[in-house]
Amino acid sequence: MFVTVETAARTAPAAVIVAIDGPAGTGKSSTSKAVAAGLGLGYLDTGAQYRAITWWMLNNGIDVNDAIAVADAAAKPVIVSGTDPAAPTITVDGLDAAGPIRTQEVTAAVSAVSAVAEVRTLITDLQRSIAAEAPHGIVVEGRDIGITVLPDADLKIFLTASPEARAARRSGELKGKEAQAGDLAATREALIKRDAADSGRKTSPLAKADDAVEVDTTELTLEQVIECVVTLIEGAGAEKAGRVAR
């Protein structure tokens, strides 16, 4: 998981709630899981929850481009997320959905489904309850966590990277080292299109919170990003511990 021995031995000084936002390809998931595991915190991939409800819509014949139909069906699926960073799980109506939600069909439809206000309200409530119940603190990653879901988080981080770097990472994730220049260009355009959809939606758009710490990962290795985030969390934990002690 790219956690160094030094990082794995460290712990957050206090139970903290950490919001990590940013567009696709910035390293949110890899960083969040590694940091949570290294510091003994829970982990929640909020994007997986939107993928899960999208997968349910597709499997149940709901037209994902019909906002009214999506809204009417939004409360029907039961989505359960496990928060162990070493083995995060997600089920829909009791079925393991970890693999199926990563298909291209779901990827193509998730922006439309996640833009529906009723969907966002339901999923946001679910995310808040999971964060509130985390016994040792939690790292929550997504696109609207610091702004909408957890505006009172102990620490907010916004990861960024150039479109080129993000495309290279995402294309590598999808196709391995044999990704071609054409694939990279297509991936870059898809990411830019997703950014526009996420940033332009009326309900809970992708945005950096005013009090978030921005970390540009373009020129950083994953281990460097992890170390940076761990340091920020340790600082936030120490500050929280100090407030509690006073």
Side-chain angles (χ1 to χ4, degrees):
M1 195 177 285
F2 297 94
V3 182
T4 64
V5 173
E6 293 78 7
T7 300
R10 292 149 65 175
T11 56
V16 291
I17 294 179
V18 182
I20 299 184
D21 289 305
T26 55
K28 289 196 310 295
S29 294
S30 298
T31 298
S32 298
K33 281 188 285 189
V35 166
L39 295 178
L41 303 173
Y43 162 74
L44 179 61
D45 174 5
T46 63
Q49 295 174 320
Y50 285 106
R51 284 177 170 273
I53 196 168
T54 300
W55 176 66
W56 184 93
M57 296 282 175
L58 292 169
N59 277 4
N60 285 273
I62 307 299
D63 181 355
V64 296
N65 294 306
D66 183 341
I68 294 177
V70 170
D72 288 343
K76 293 181 179 180
V78 176
I79 298 171
V80 178
S81 297
T83 58
D84 179 356
T89 59
I90 187 161
T91 63
V92 180
D93 295 338
L95 299 175
D96 180 7
I101 65 173
R102 301 297 173 181
T103 64
Q104 280 300 114
E105 183 182 20
V106 172
T107 297
V110 68
S111 286
V113 173
S114 62
V116 176
E118 289 80 0
V119 169
R120 298 206 75 83
T121 296
L122 286 165
I123 298 297
T124 294
D125 287 345
L126 174 61
Q127 293 161 359
R128 286 175 176 162
S129 66
I130 292 171
E133 295 166 6
H136 306 295
I138 191 168
V139 178
V140 182
E141 59 116 332
R143 287 173 168 78
D144 66 340
I145 311 306
I147 290 284
T148 302
V149 180
L150 300 171
D152 296 323
D154 298 301
L155 175 65
K156 302 172 188 177
I157 298 172
F158 194 86
L159 299 184
T160 65
S162 70
E164 291 74 21
R166 292 165 53 209
R169 292 168 185 168
R170 181 49 56 90
S171 186
E173 290 172 5
L174 296 175
K175 301 187 178 183
K177 295 182 180 179
E178 300 303 318
Q180 302 298 314
D183 297 327
L184 289 174
T187 301
R188 180 180 182 276
E189 291 305 310
L191 287 172
I192 291 174
K193 183 177 180 180
R194 177 72 188 273
D195 290 348
D198 289 344
S199 300
R201 65 177 176 242
K202 294 181 179 180
T203 305
S204 302
L206 165 67
K208 174 189 170 187
D210 291 338
D211 55 347
V213 179
E214 183 170 331
V215 178
D216 189 334
T217 70
T218 303
E219 301 296 334
L220 301 179
T221 65
L222 179 56
E223 285 198 354
Q224 288 173 325
V225 178
I226 291 169
E227 182 64 23
C228 175
V229 172
V230 164
T231 300
L232 290 170
I233 293 175
E234 287 177 330
E239 182 179 341
K240 183 174 183 178
R243 290 198 304 270
V244 172
R246 286 197 290 270

